[in-house]
């Protein structure tokens, strides 16, 4: 796969619902980020742990009975990690590609690696 121009496209119809749920949860996601930051500074705080647990539960319930396909709170699910490894592109419907030219080259964002000794 690495030595040829072959690319994979995974069609996941549930992504349409996932996208809508993510848009509705943006403020809750920010709250989870703040709680995780506060908990990192004060890891013994039971109050923060309870608030974080409630926020993660609430965000998971907004997706479906089983939660999000791609995340649990701010963590990536196993499905999402496999998706990143095996699928070059993913979409909810193949017609999403209709507006692209056949010669279009899809690329991913560059990933910055942490240097040794830096956080």
């Amino acid at each position: 796969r690495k030595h040829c121009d072959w690319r994979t496209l995974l069609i996941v119809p549930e992504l349409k619902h996932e996208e809508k749920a993510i848009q509705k949860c943006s403020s809750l996601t920010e709250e989870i980020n703040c709680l995780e930051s506060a908990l990192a500074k004060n890891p013994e705080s039971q109050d923060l742990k309870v608030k974080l647990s409630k926020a993660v539960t609430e965000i998971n319930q907004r997706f479906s009975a089983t939660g999000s396909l791609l995340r649990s709170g701010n963590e990536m699910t196993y499905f999402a990690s496999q998706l990143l490894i095996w699928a070059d592109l993913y979409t909810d419907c193949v017609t999403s590609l209709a507006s692209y030219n056949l010669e279009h080259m899809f690329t991913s964002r560059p990933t910055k690696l942490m240097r040794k000794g830096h956080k």
Side-chain angles (χ1 to χ4, degrees), residues 25-44:
C25 294
S26 63
S27 63
L28 194 53
T29 303
E30 290 175 23
E31 180 183 342
I32 288 173
N33 288 336
C34 290
L35 287 169
E36 285 179 337
S37 295
L39 195 58
K41 294 174 186 171
N42 187 4
E44 302 301 318

Side-chain angles (χ1 to χ4, degrees), residues 95-101:
T95 57
S96 300
L97 301 175
S99 63
Y100 292 97
N101 182 317

Side-chain angles (χ1 to χ4, degrees), residues 1-118:
R1 181 176 154 207
K2 299 267 186 211
H3 301 290
C4 67
D5 289 335
W6 182 262
R7 296 291 178 252
T8 57
L9 171 68
L10 179 64
I11 299 171
V12 185
E14 294 84 358
L15 286 177
K16 188 168 235 32
H17 173 70
E18 188 95 0
E19 183 181 5
K20 289 177 184 176
I22 287 170
Q23 289 171 352
K24 290 179 184 177
C25 294
S26 63
S27 63
L28 194 53
T29 303
E30 290 175 23
E31 180 183 342
I32 288 173
N33 288 336
C34 290
L35 287 169
E36 285 179 337
S37 295
L39 195 58
K41 294 174 186 171
N42 187 4
E44 302 301 318
S45 173
Q46 291 301 316
D47 184 46
L48 288 174
K49 289 178 183 179
V50 169
K51 286 180 181 179
L52 180 60
S53 177
K54 286 181 181 179
V56 168
T57 300
E58 184 179 341
I59 202 169
N60 282 341
Q61 289 174 344
R62 289 189 183 184
F63 286 89
S64 68
T66 58
S68 170
L69 282 175
L70 304 176
R71 56 196 276 172
S72 176
N74 275 349
E75 297 293 318
M76 188 183 308
T77 63
Y78 180 74
F79 177 77
S81 66
Q82 294 299 297
L83 184 72
L84 290 174
I85 292 169
W86 297 106
D88 294 308
L89 298 172
Y90 55 95
T91 182
D92 65 326
C93 181
V94 73
T95 57
S96 300
L97 301 175
S99 63
Y100 292 97
N101 182 317
L102 290 176
E103 301 298 318
H104 184 83
M105 176 83 119
F106 291 94
T107 58
S108 61
R109 293 181 185 155
T111 303
K112 293 183 179 181
L113 299 176
M114 289 177 57
R115 290 183 284 159
K116 207 174 200 178
H118 290 81

